[in-house]
Amino acid sequence: MRITSATFVKSAFVENDWPRDSKPEIAFLGRSNVGKSSLINSLLGVRGLARTSSTPGRTQALNFFLINDKFRFVDLPGYGYARAPKEVKAKWSEAAKDYLAMRKQLALSIHIVDSRHEPTKQDLQLHDWLRHYDRRYLTVATKSDKLSNNELRRNLDYARAALGNGVLAYSSIERRGVDDVWRAIETVLKQSAG
Ligand code: GTP
Ligand code: MG
């Protein structure tokens, strides 16, 4: 996909504040600090559009970005940040669950996991929600540049056993997997246009 424009639209916690038009949305979900913002930036080929930080748990709201004036990327708050206050954690699950449960515009969810670690309990729970709400999803194992080929192969096997066969290896630094993710996005966008 050729990116002609990518702009930040807004941050929002509650449904009332979500954009109201019917443009399709691609959501990015995963553990705090897993590399969601970096993945969004690497897909778009920009730096710093989605904020990246080494402080986990920074992004607490849903962040909407408009791409090519045609569809949106939605950066959902990261879960599982152990030191987040209870209210913040509760808000996460509420906002994210609401979004997964209700959002008609949601065309594809990209579930990001850390290729270095086994899926966490919350990764498994999110996976269950995606299935429960009958959402189309793609699972992406990022930070693959930090592993040897052997380690990566072994960890992908674990991840596929827990989360299904469609787990893709990704690296925002090496841009590994960028084409695969775009192919999946283009497929759902074509279908939602047709
Ligand atoms: P929150 O929004 O705070 O939950 O984090 P996030 O999931 O958006 O993660 P973010 O993209 O901010 O990245 C977290 C840290 O991981 C940063 O220090 C990134 O530079 C690093 N990182 C992200 N993706 C990769 C990757 O593919 N490879 C490597 N080596 N580091 C990465
Ligand atoms: Mg982020």
Side-chain angles (χ1 to χ4, degrees):
M1 165 123 16
R2 209 171 77 82
I3 305 302
T4 54
S5 63
T7 53
F8 174 72
V9 180
K10 61 165 21 186
S11 284
F13 281 103
V14 291
E15 193 207 353
N16 244 342
D17 294 333
W18 298 347
R20 291 175 191 283
D21 64 72
S22 61
K23 290 191 175 78
E25 291 178 346
I26 313 296
F28 297 84
L29 302 112
R31 187 167 71 65
S32 171
N33 208 39
V34 72
K36 286 182 304 302
S37 300
S38 303
L39 188 144
I40 291 173
N41 290 334
S42 64
L43 285 177
L44 296 173
V46 299
R47 273 169 187 239
L49 179 68
R51 263 200 307 178
T52 63
S53 71
S54 43
T55 316
R58 271 286 174 75
T59 327
Q60 306 287 354
L62 279 67
N63 291 303
F64 294 86
F65 302 90
L66 180 61
I67 317 299
N68 289 0
D69 227 13
K70 288 228 163 68
F71 59 94
R72 280 186 289 268
F73 276 7
V74 187
D75 187 3
L76 274 87
Y79 52 82
Y81 178 45
R83 279 191 289 166
K86 246 195 190 146
E87 320 81 77
V88 170
K89 284 193 205 161
K91 214 177 235 169
W92 180 83
S93 40
E94 232 172 80
K97 254 199 231 162
D98 282 355
Y99 182 85
L100 287 182
M102 300 194 282
R103 190 64 166 166
K104 288 211 175 67
Q105 292 89 329
L106 176 56
L108 179 69
S109 298
I110 298 185
H111 180 190
I112 301 142
V113 298
D114 192 324
S115 62
R116 296 170 300 174
H117 309 299
E118 275 187 51
T120 66
K121 246 190 210 164
Q122 281 162 307
D123 288 332
L124 297 172
Q125 176 167 66
L126 175 59
H127 184 73
D128 284 346
W129 284 348
L130 289 168
R131 295 172 63 95
H132 174 78
Y133 292 119
D134 210 13
R135 294 302 193 175
R136 275 185 89 149
Y137 62 89
L138 177 70
T139 312
V140 171
T142 195
K143 305 194 185 181
S144 66
D145 55 278
K146 294 205 173 184
L147 295 174
S148 71
N149 285 338
N150 277 339
E151 288 169 324
L152 179 62
R153 205 171 309 124
R154 192 195 57 200
N155 288 7
L156 286 174
D157 283 346
Y158 279 133
R160 285 173 182 144
L163 302 169
N165 280 328
V167 181
L168 274 176
Y170 197 91
S171 163
S172 297
I173 288 181
E174 296 176 340
R175 299 180 53 77
R176 173 183 190 156
V178 167
D179 293 344
D180 297 311
V181 174
W182 271 120
R183 215 169 293 129
I185 293 172
E186 280 168 12
T187 302
V188 301
L189 290 178
K190 259 184 217 141
Q191 288 170 354
S192 64

